[in-house]
Amino acid sequence: MVGAYKVYRVELQGTKITFPEKGNVRPYAIPANLVFIIDEKPHQTFTRDGDDLIVTQKISLSEALTGYTVRLTTLDGRNLTIPVTDVINPSHEEVVPMEGMPIT
């Protein structure tokens, strides 16, 4: 089956995917299993929660009370400027719609 492909969507870190008898093929032998184990590497800026990308930034008390502008570079290289005008408390979360993990 040259040129054919299948697309599988995997949700969980550490998931093991086995394709029975899709590995090495040798004459007079049953093909080996092809096994993939999903391993998500840590990122310098983002952590992942499902399809959400999380960024944590430390700011001063003055910025928390008077406003703060988040500047960050997305995974695809775009620069975002996100103004936060609310008073920011330690558990504050700012959601930026449509800027999470790229989904195909």
Side-chain angles (χ1 to χ4, degrees):
M1 196 187 266
V2 176
Y5 62 91
K6 293 182 180 181
V7 176
Y8 294 89
R9 183 177 173 104
V10 178
E11 298 292 335
L12 301 173
Q13 165 77 6
T15 297
K16 186 176 183 179
I17 303 169
T18 303
F19 298 94
E21 299 181 12
K22 298 294 182 187
N24 291 340
V25 178
R26 295 178 294 161
Y28 312 108
I30 297 173
N33 292 341
L34 180 61
V35 179
F36 293 94
I37 300 174
I38 306 304
D39 184 24
E40 187 174 325
K41 293 182 180 180
H43 191 271
Q44 181 179 344
T45 305
F46 300 98
T47 56
R48 185 174 175 182
D49 183 10
D51 289 334
D52 296 331
L53 295 175
I54 310 297
V55 175
T56 302
Q57 294 187 347
K58 291 188 178 195
I59 61 172
S60 69
L61 177 60
S62 172
E63 292 168 324
L65 295 174
T66 62
Y68 179 68
T69 300
V70 178
R71 288 177 175 70
L72 61 99
T73 303
T74 62
L75 292 175
D76 59 2
R78 293 176 297 118
N79 292 313
L80 295 182
T81 302
I82 305 157
V84 181
T85 56
D86 298 333
V87 173
I88 301 171
N89 63 49
S91 62
H92 182 86
E93 292 183 0
E94 191 73 21
V95 178
V96 182
M98 304 305 295
E99 291 295 343
M101 192 66 185
I103 301 173
T104 58

